Amino acid sequence: MEIIEVLQEASRLVYENVKNLAGTEEAMGDFGRGAGGDISRNIDIVAEKTVLDYLRKIQFDCEVLGEECGKVELSKNPKGIVVMDAIDGSTNAVRGIPFFCCSLAFATEAKLSSVTDAVVTDLSTGDMYHAVKGKGAFMNGKKIHVNIKEPVYRIVCLNTSGISPSTIKKIYPIIEGSNHIRHLGANALELALLARGLIDVHIDFRDKLRITDMAAGYLIAKEAGGYILDQNKEPLESEFGFDKKISFIAASNKKILDDILGKLQL
Ligand code: IPD
Ligand code: CA
């Protein structure tokens, strides 16, 4: 079985196990703080257990870095690291807002640039996005690409939850110059929509995102032709670990990227 097929099957099983749970009383059960620092909800725990049980069942030689469970060694001889945000967009999932996903990535070394395989499954629809390094990005098996034209409406996703006044100042010209700002609440799925050509820019400069929120969406957006830079306008890179926080700007094409970068007050 190829690595990408392992991630796809794990993700499909998560969809089966949580599709009727979102928005229910049962979904919100409190399991205390997970490794990533947020409260683990029952829906997060069910989803993570699904992935871990499957990887154990097929004896996949890996280490897992999960948002709730932290680091779990599944083999003494790991081929690499599975980076798992079994539910990205947990708030949406708990409240029943249909925008949350399962985000799984595989990396050969503990850094973003070593991610070789990625799967993001929209857990409301079952739509599955995947990418393998150097082989492009796909939605339900069909190749996808970022938007390369100037869109009729330029959609800018901007994460402002808990943002500081100094960060608002840096991005203010973008806010002022955008007529269509969105924040949908699941970073990995927002990057998948950018990969698919539905979103043109996605910015999160809050220094709050974790590697688990980012790893799969990063590869899918890049393989679909997108640009992803850090807050210093350098190609995004991060080592794995919950002490590392990520800020980034993703853009669908060079013209839009240059336009947005020109507006940033860094
Ligand atoms: C969250 C989502 C959300 C972002 C938060 C993340 P989670 O992931 O990606 O869009 O604003 O910072 O924590 O907690 O639902 O896995
Ligand atoms: Ca999560």
PDB file of all heavy atoms in Angstrom, residues 55-86:
ATOM      1  N   LEU A  55      -3.849   2.832  11.884  1.00  0.00           N
ATOM      2  CA  LEU A  55      -2.394   2.731  11.652  1.00  0.00           C
ATOM      3  C   LEU A  55      -1.816   1.532  12.410  1.00  0.00           C
ATOM      4  O   LEU A  55      -0.933   0.833  11.911  1.00  0.00           O
ATOM      5  CB  LEU A  55      -1.689   4.031  12.065  1.00  0.00           C
ATOM      6  CG  LEU A  55      -2.051   5.272  11.242  1.00  0.00           C
ATOM      7  CD1 LEU A  55      -1.337   6.512  11.784  1.00  0.00           C
ATOM      8  CD2 LEU A  55      -1.722   5.094   9.758  1.00  0.00           C
ATOM      9  N   ARG A  56      -2.348   1.293  13.612  1.00  0.00           N
ATOM     10  CA  ARG A  56      -1.884   0.126  14.409  1.00  0.00           C
ATOM     11  C   ARG A  56      -2.300  -1.171  13.717  1.00  0.00           C
ATOM     12  O   ARG A  56      -1.516  -2.108  13.612  1.00  0.00           O
ATOM     13  CB  ARG A  56      -2.474   0.155  15.822  1.00  0.00           C
ATOM     14  CG  ARG A  56      -1.799   1.156  16.712  1.00  0.00           C
ATOM     15  CD  ARG A  56      -2.181   0.935  18.185  1.00  0.00           C
ATOM     16  NE  ARG A  56      -1.511   1.908  19.017  1.00  0.00           N
ATOM     17  CZ  ARG A  56      -2.110   2.979  19.559  1.00  0.00           C
ATOM     18  NH1 ARG A  56      -3.400   3.178  19.392  1.00  0.00           N
ATOM     19  NH2 ARG A  56      -1.418   3.835  20.278  1.00  0.00           N
ATOM     20  N   LYS A  57      -3.552  -1.186  13.242  1.00  0.00           N
ATOM     21  CA  LYS A  57      -4.087  -2.414  12.618  1.00  0.00           C
ATOM     22  C   LYS A  57      -3.247  -2.826  11.401  1.00  0.00           C
ATOM     23  O   LYS A  57      -2.942  -4.003  11.221  1.00  0.00           O
ATOM     24  CB  LYS A  57      -5.541  -2.159  12.204  1.00  0.00           C
ATOM     25  CG  LYS A  57      -6.243  -3.382  11.674  1.00  0.00           C
ATOM     26  CD  LYS A  57      -7.709  -3.096  11.395  1.00  0.00           C
ATOM     27  CE  LYS A  57      -8.044  -3.614  10.019  1.00  0.00           C
ATOM     28  NZ  LYS A  57      -9.245  -3.055   9.464  1.00  0.00           N
ATOM     29  N   ILE A  58      -2.859  -1.851  10.587  1.00  0.00           N
ATOM     30  CA  ILE A  58      -2.078  -2.216   9.385  1.00  0.00           C
ATOM     31  C   ILE A  58      -0.572  -2.217   9.674  1.00  0.00           C
ATOM     32  O   ILE A  58       0.239  -2.389   8.770  1.00  0.00           O
ATOM     33  CB  ILE A  58      -2.399  -1.297   8.185  1.00  0.00           C
ATOM     34  CG1 ILE A  58      -1.986   0.152   8.474  1.00  0.00           C
ATOM     35  CG2 ILE A  58      -3.868  -1.396   7.773  1.00  0.00           C
ATOM     36  CD1 ILE A  58      -1.889   1.009   7.219  1.00  0.00           C
ATOM     37  N   GLN A  59      -0.217  -1.998  10.934  1.00  0.00           N
ATOM     38  CA  GLN A  59       1.181  -1.985  11.383  1.00  0.00           C
ATOM     39  C   GLN A  59       2.033  -1.045  10.533  1.00  0.00           C
ATOM     40  O   GLN A  59       3.078  -1.424  10.008  1.00  0.00           O
ATOM     41  CB  GLN A  59       1.753  -3.409  11.378  1.00  0.00           C
ATOM     42  CG  GLN A  59       0.983  -4.308  12.315  1.00  0.00           C
ATOM     43  CD  GLN A  59       1.544  -5.719  12.385  1.00  0.00           C
ATOM     44  OE1 GLN A  59       2.145  -6.219  11.438  1.00  0.00           O
ATOM     45  NE2 GLN A  59       1.344  -6.353  13.514  1.00  0.00           N
ATOM     46  N   PHE A  60       1.537   0.193  10.404  1.00  0.00           N
ATOM     47  CA  PHE A  60       2.247   1.193   9.624  1.00  0.00           C
ATOM     48  C   PHE A  60       3.424   1.713  10.463  1.00  0.00           C
ATOM     49  O   PHE A  60       3.223   2.238  11.560  1.00  0.00           O
ATOM     50  CB  PHE A  60       1.269   2.319   9.264  1.00  0.00           C
ATOM     51  CG  PHE A  60       1.816   3.309   8.284  1.00  0.00           C
ATOM     52  CD1 PHE A  60       2.224   2.907   7.020  1.00  0.00           C
ATOM     53  CD2 PHE A  60       1.912   4.657   8.614  1.00  0.00           C
ATOM     54  CE1 PHE A  60       2.722   3.836   6.102  1.00  0.00           C
ATOM     55  CE2 PHE A  60       2.405   5.581   7.714  1.00  0.00           C
ATOM     56  CZ  PHE A  60       2.807   5.165   6.456  1.00  0.00           C
ATOM     57  N   ASP A  61       4.623   1.539   9.960  1.00  0.00           N
ATOM     58  CA  ASP A  61       5.825   1.921  10.720  1.00  0.00           C
ATOM     59  C   ASP A  61       6.008   3.425  10.726  1.00  0.00           C
ATOM     60  O   ASP A  61       6.591   3.989   9.792  1.00  0.00           O
ATOM     61  CB  ASP A  61       7.071   1.279  10.080  1.00  0.00           C
ATOM     62  CG  ASP A  61       7.156  -0.198  10.377  1.00  0.00           C
ATOM     63  OD1 ASP A  61       6.796  -0.584  11.507  1.00  0.00           O
ATOM     64  OD2 ASP A  61       7.568  -0.957   9.471  1.00  0.00           O
ATOM     65  N   CYS A  62       5.503   4.054  11.768  1.00  0.00           N
ATOM     66  CA  CYS A  62       5.618   5.513  11.814  1.00  0.00           C
ATOM     67  C   CYS A  62       5.549   6.017  13.248  1.00  0.00           C
ATOM     68  O   CYS A  62       5.263   5.263  14.175  1.00  0.00           O
ATOM     69  CB  CYS A  62       4.483   6.151  11.011  1.00  0.00           C
ATOM     70  SG  CYS A  62       2.878   5.922  11.784  1.00  0.00           S
ATOM     71  N   GLU A  63       5.819   7.305  13.348  1.00  0.00           N
ATOM     72  CA  GLU A  63       5.568   8.019  14.597  1.00  0.00           C
ATOM     73  C   GLU A  63       4.396   8.931  14.259  1.00  0.00           C
ATOM     74  O   GLU A  63       4.276   9.346  13.098  1.00  0.00           O
ATOM     75  CB  GLU A  63       6.823   8.838  14.880  1.00  0.00           C
ATOM     76  CG  GLU A  63       6.857   9.557  16.172  1.00  0.00           C
ATOM     77  CD  GLU A  63       8.176  10.347  16.275  1.00  0.00           C
ATOM     78  OE1 GLU A  63       9.242   9.715  16.375  1.00  0.00           O
ATOM     79  OE2 GLU A  63       8.098  11.581  16.231  1.00  0.00           O
ATOM     80  N   VAL A  64       3.536   9.218  15.228  1.00  0.00           N
ATOM     81  CA  VAL A  64       2.400  10.112  14.962  1.00  0.00           C
ATOM     82  C   VAL A  64       2.565  11.368  15.817  1.00  0.00           C
ATOM     83  O   VAL A  64       2.948  11.281  16.984  1.00  0.00           O
ATOM     84  CB  VAL A  64       1.060   9.420  15.312  1.00  0.00           C
ATOM     85  CG1 VAL A  64      -0.113  10.365  15.092  1.00  0.00           C
ATOM     86  CG2 VAL A  64       0.872   8.151  14.484  1.00  0.00           C
ATOM     87  N   LEU A  65       2.293  12.518  15.213  1.00  0.00           N
ATOM     88  CA  LEU A  65       2.217  13.757  15.983  1.00  0.00           C
ATOM     89  C   LEU A  65       0.785  14.262  15.848  1.00  0.00           C
ATOM     90  O   LEU A  65       0.376  14.736  14.782  1.00  0.00           O
ATOM     91  CB  LEU A  65       3.207  14.788  15.433  1.00  0.00           C
ATOM     92  CG  LEU A  65       3.287  16.094  16.212  1.00  0.00           C
ATOM     93  CD1 LEU A  65       3.841  15.854  17.616  1.00  0.00           C
ATOM     94  CD2 LEU A  65       4.167  17.117  15.494  1.00  0.00           C
ATOM     95  N   GLY A  66       0.016  14.097  16.916  1.00  0.00           N
ATOM     96  CA  GLY A  66      -1.409  14.430  16.855  1.00  0.00           C
ATOM     97  C   GLY A  66      -1.742  15.622  17.722  1.00  0.00           C
ATOM     98  O   GLY A  66      -1.129  15.813  18.786  1.00  0.00           O
ATOM     99  N   GLU A  67      -2.736  16.400  17.282  1.00  0.00           N
ATOM    100  CA  GLU A  67      -3.079  17.624  18.024  1.00  0.00           C
ATOM    101  C   GLU A  67      -3.569  17.335  19.448  1.00  0.00           C
ATOM    102  O   GLU A  67      -3.332  18.125  20.355  1.00  0.00           O
ATOM    103  CB  GLU A  67      -4.141  18.403  17.249  1.00  0.00           C
ATOM    104  CG  GLU A  67      -4.169  19.848  17.644  1.00  0.00           C
ATOM    105  CD  GLU A  67      -4.763  20.706  16.565  1.00  0.00           C
ATOM    106  OE1 GLU A  67      -4.027  21.056  15.628  1.00  0.00           O
ATOM    107  OE2 GLU A  67      -5.959  21.003  16.640  1.00  0.00           O
ATOM    108  N   GLU A  68      -4.231  16.217  19.635  1.00  0.00           N
ATOM    109  CA  GLU A  68      -4.706  15.878  20.986  1.00  0.00           C
ATOM    110  C   GLU A  68      -3.734  14.935  21.689  1.00  0.00           C
ATOM    111  O   GLU A  68      -3.401  15.139  22.848  1.00  0.00           O
ATOM    112  CB  GLU A  68      -6.103  15.226  20.953  1.00  0.00           C
ATOM    113  CG  GLU A  68      -7.079  15.770  19.924  1.00  0.00           C
ATOM    114  CD  GLU A  68      -7.312  17.270  19.997  1.00  0.00           C
ATOM    115  OE1 GLU A  68      -7.252  17.820  21.117  1.00  0.00           O
ATOM    116  OE2 GLU A  68      -7.536  17.894  18.948  1.00  0.00           O
ATOM    117  N   CYS A  69      -3.256  13.902  20.989  1.00  0.00           N
ATOM    118  CA  CYS A  69      -2.462  12.848  21.642  1.00  0.00           C
ATOM    119  C   CYS A  69      -0.978  13.173  21.735  1.00  0.00           C
ATOM    120  O   CYS A  69      -0.244  12.500  22.457  1.00  0.00           O
ATOM    121  CB  CYS A  69      -2.654  11.523  20.905  1.00  0.00           C
ATOM    122  SG  CYS A  69      -2.022  11.543  19.218  1.00  0.00           S
ATOM    123  N   GLY A  70      -0.513  14.187  21.010  1.00  0.00           N
ATOM    124  CA  GLY A  70       0.922  14.490  21.009  1.00  0.00           C
ATOM    125  C   GLY A  70       1.694  13.448  20.219  1.00  0.00           C
ATOM    126  O   GLY A  70       1.182  12.885  19.247  1.00  0.00           O
ATOM    127  N   LYS A  71       2.930  13.151  20.690  1.00  0.00           N
ATOM    128  CA  LYS A  71       3.789  12.226  19.956  1.00  0.00           C
ATOM    129  C   LYS A  71       3.506  10.784  20.373  1.00  0.00           C
ATOM    130  O   LYS A  71       3.554  10.467  21.573  1.00  0.00           O
ATOM    131  CB  LYS A  71       5.228  12.587  20.304  1.00  0.00           C
ATOM    132  CG  LYS A  71       6.241  12.219  19.247  1.00  0.00           C
ATOM    133  CD  LYS A  71       7.608  12.490  19.831  1.00  0.00           C
ATOM    134  CE  LYS A  71       8.475  13.232  18.876  1.00  0.00           C
ATOM    135  NZ  LYS A  71       9.857  13.317  19.321  1.00  0.00           N
ATOM    136  N   VAL A  72       3.207   9.927  19.404  1.00  0.00           N
ATOM    137  CA  VAL A  72       2.952   8.508  19.711  1.00  0.00           C
ATOM    138  C   VAL A  72       3.840   7.672  18.796  1.00  0.00           C
ATOM    139  O   VAL A  72       3.782   7.805  17.571  1.00  0.00           O
ATOM    140  CB  VAL A  72       1.466   8.131  19.455  1.00  0.00           C
ATOM    141  CG1 VAL A  72       1.229   6.656  19.762  1.00  0.00           C
ATOM    142  CG2 VAL A  72       0.534   8.992  20.287  1.00  0.00           C
ATOM    143  N   GLU A  73       4.677   6.823  19.410  1.00  0.00           N
ATOM    144  CA  GLU A  73       5.555   5.959  18.608  1.00  0.00           C
ATOM    145  C   GLU A  73       4.815   4.677  18.273  1.00  0.00           C
ATOM    146  O   GLU A  73       4.511   3.886  19.153  1.00  0.00           O
ATOM    147  CB  GLU A  73       6.777   5.584  19.440  1.00  0.00           C
ATOM    148  CG  GLU A  73       7.967   6.453  19.159  1.00  0.00           C
ATOM    149  CD  GLU A  73       9.210   5.943  19.843  1.00  0.00           C
ATOM    150  OE1 GLU A  73       9.343   4.719  20.056  1.00  0.00           O
ATOM    151  OE2 GLU A  73      10.046   6.786  20.173  1.00  0.00           O
ATOM    152  N   LEU A  74       4.546   4.439  17.000  1.00  0.00           N
ATOM    153  CA  LEU A  74       3.843   3.205  16.627  1.00  0.00           C
ATOM    154  C   LEU A  74       4.817   2.128  16.163  1.00  0.00           C
ATOM    155  O   LEU A  74       4.402   1.019  15.842  1.00  0.00           O
ATOM    156  CB  LEU A  74       2.823   3.488  15.529  1.00  0.00           C
ATOM    157  CG  LEU A  74       1.621   4.364  15.912  1.00  0.00           C
ATOM    158  CD1 LEU A  74       0.606   4.403  14.792  1.00  0.00           C
ATOM    159  CD2 LEU A  74       0.960   3.868  17.192  1.00  0.00           C
ATOM    160  N   SER A  75       6.101   2.483  16.066  1.00  0.00           N
ATOM    161  CA  SER A  75       7.077   1.509  15.592  1.00  0.00           C
ATOM    162  C   SER A  75       8.454   1.880  16.128  1.00  0.00           C
ATOM    163  O   SER A  75       8.745   3.057  16.343  1.00  0.00           O
ATOM    164  CB  SER A  75       7.084   1.538  14.055  1.00  0.00           C
ATOM    165  OG  SER A  75       8.257   0.964  13.551  1.00  0.00           O
ATOM    166  N   LYS A  76       9.272   0.880  16.318  1.00  0.00           N
ATOM    167  CA  LYS A  76      10.662   1.134  16.742  1.00  0.00           C
ATOM    168  C   LYS A  76      11.488   1.520  15.528  1.00  0.00           C
ATOM    169  O   LYS A  76      12.622   1.969  15.631  1.00  0.00           O
ATOM    170  CB  LYS A  76      11.251  -0.136  17.384  1.00  0.00           C
ATOM    171  CG  LYS A  76      10.641  -0.455  18.728  1.00  0.00           C
ATOM    172  CD  LYS A  76      11.363   0.313  19.858  1.00  0.00           C
ATOM    173  CE  LYS A  76      10.571   0.376  21.134  1.00  0.00           C
ATOM    174  NZ  LYS A  76      10.052   1.667  21.534  1.00  0.00           N
ATOM    175  N   ASN A  77      10.890   1.304  14.355  1.00  0.00           N
ATOM    176  CA  ASN A  77      11.631   1.542  13.122  1.00  0.00           C
ATOM    177  C   ASN A  77      10.808   2.419  12.170  1.00  0.00           C
ATOM    178  O   ASN A  77      10.427   1.981  11.082  1.00  0.00           O
ATOM    179  CB  ASN A  77      11.889   0.159  12.497  1.00  0.00           C
ATOM    180  CG  ASN A  77      13.008   0.210  11.509  1.00  0.00           C
ATOM    181  OD1 ASN A  77      13.691   1.233  11.417  1.00  0.00           O
ATOM    182  ND2 ASN A  77      13.183  -0.862  10.745  1.00  0.00           N
ATOM    183  N   PRO A  78      10.489   3.674  12.590  1.00  0.00           N
ATOM    184  CA  PRO A  78       9.545   4.478  11.793  1.00  0.00           C
ATOM    185  C   PRO A  78      10.108   4.929  10.449  1.00  0.00           C
ATOM    186  O   PRO A  78      11.270   5.298  10.354  1.00  0.00           O
ATOM    187  CB  PRO A  78       9.285   5.693  12.704  1.00  0.00           C
ATOM    188  CG  PRO A  78      10.437   5.765  13.626  1.00  0.00           C
ATOM    189  CD  PRO A  78      10.996   4.390  13.766  1.00  0.00           C
ATOM    190  N   LYS A  79       9.219   4.879   9.438  1.00  0.00           N
ATOM    191  CA  LYS A  79       9.610   5.363   8.096  1.00  0.00           C
ATOM    192  C   LYS A  79       9.483   6.877   8.035  1.00  0.00           C
ATOM    193  O   LYS A  79       9.973   7.510   7.126  1.00  0.00           O
ATOM    194  CB  LYS A  79       8.628   4.815   7.048  1.00  0.00           C
ATOM    195  CG  LYS A  79       8.704   3.353   6.768  1.00  0.00           C
ATOM    196  CD  LYS A  79       7.864   3.107   5.485  1.00  0.00           C
ATOM    197  CE  LYS A  79       7.490   1.661   5.335  1.00  0.00           C
ATOM    198  NZ  LYS A  79       6.146   1.301   5.705  1.00  0.00           N
ATOM    199  N   GLY A  80       8.714   7.430   8.975  1.00  0.00           N
ATOM    200  CA  GLY A  80       8.476   8.868   8.961  1.00  0.00           C
ATOM    201  C   GLY A  80       7.420   9.239   9.986  1.00  0.00           C
ATOM    202  O   GLY A  80       7.070   8.436  10.856  1.00  0.00           O
ATOM    203  N   ILE A  81       6.906  10.447   9.841  1.00  0.00           N
ATOM    204  CA  ILE A  81       5.978  11.004  10.848  1.00  0.00           C
ATOM    205  C   ILE A  81       4.622  11.299  10.203  1.00  0.00           C
ATOM    206  O   ILE A  81       4.564  11.967   9.161  1.00  0.00           O
ATOM    207  CB  ILE A  81       6.554  12.327  11.407  1.00  0.00           C
ATOM    208  CG1 ILE A  81       7.976  12.099  11.941  1.00  0.00           C
ATOM    209  CG2 ILE A  81       5.650  12.913  12.499  1.00  0.00           C
ATOM    210  CD1 ILE A  81       8.834  13.336  11.943  1.00  0.00           C
ATOM    211  N   VAL A  82       3.551  10.804  10.834  1.00  0.00           N
ATOM    212  CA  VAL A  82       2.199  11.178  10.413  1.00  0.00           C
ATOM    213  C   VAL A  82       1.781  12.381  11.264  1.00  0.00           C
ATOM    214  O   VAL A  82       1.727  12.282  12.483  1.00  0.00           O
ATOM    215  CB  VAL A  82       1.202  10.010  10.577  1.00  0.00           C
ATOM    216  CG1 VAL A  82      -0.228  10.480  10.325  1.00  0.00           C
ATOM    217  CG2 VAL A  82       1.560   8.857   9.640  1.00  0.00           C
ATOM    218  N   VAL A  83       1.534  13.506  10.599  1.00  0.00           N
ATOM    219  CA  VAL A  83       1.103  14.724  11.308  1.00  0.00           C
ATOM    220  C   VAL A  83      -0.409  14.791  11.209  1.00  0.00           C
ATOM    221  O   VAL A  83      -0.961  14.874  10.106  1.00  0.00           O
ATOM    222  CB  VAL A  83       1.739  15.983  10.682  1.00  0.00           C
ATOM    223  CG1 VAL A  83       1.391  17.217  11.518  1.00  0.00           C
ATOM    224  CG2 VAL A  83       3.248  15.835  10.569  1.00  0.00           C
ATOM    225  N   MET A  84      -1.056  14.720  12.361  1.00  0.00           N
ATOM    226  CA  MET A  84      -2.511  14.505  12.378  1.00  0.00           C
ATOM    227  C   MET A  84      -3.254  15.636  13.076  1.00  0.00           C
ATOM    228  O   MET A  84      -3.011  15.914  14.253  1.00  0.00           O
ATOM    229  CB  MET A  84      -2.764  13.174  13.113  1.00  0.00           C
ATOM    230  CG  MET A  84      -4.155  13.003  13.682  1.00  0.00           C
ATOM    231  SD  MET A  84      -4.469  11.319  14.250  1.00  0.00           S
ATOM    232  CE  MET A  84      -3.560  11.249  15.781  1.00  0.00           C
ATOM    233  N   ASP A  85      -4.145  16.289  12.326  1.00  0.00           N
ATOM    234  CA  ASP A  85      -5.184  17.100  12.970  1.00  0.00           C
ATOM    235  C   ASP A  85      -6.474  16.400  12.556  1.00  0.00           C
ATOM    236  O   ASP A  85      -7.040  16.672  11.488  1.00  0.00           O
ATOM    237  CB  ASP A  85      -5.138  18.558  12.494  1.00  0.00           C
ATOM    238  CG  ASP A  85      -6.067  19.427  13.325  1.00  0.00           C
ATOM    239  OD1 ASP A  85      -6.710  18.883  14.238  1.00  0.00           O
ATOM    240  OD2 ASP A  85      -6.148  20.635  13.065  1.00  0.00           O
ATOM    241  N   ALA A  86      -6.875  15.454  13.389  1.00  0.00           N
ATOM    242  CA  ALA A  86      -7.975  14.568  12.991  1.00  0.00           C
ATOM    243  C   ALA A  86      -9.258  15.349  12.764  1.00  0.00           C
ATOM    244  O   ALA A  86     -10.085  14.967  11.933  1.00  0.00           O
ATOM    245  CB  ALA A  86      -8.158  13.479  14.041  1.00  0.00           C
TER     246      ALA A  86
END
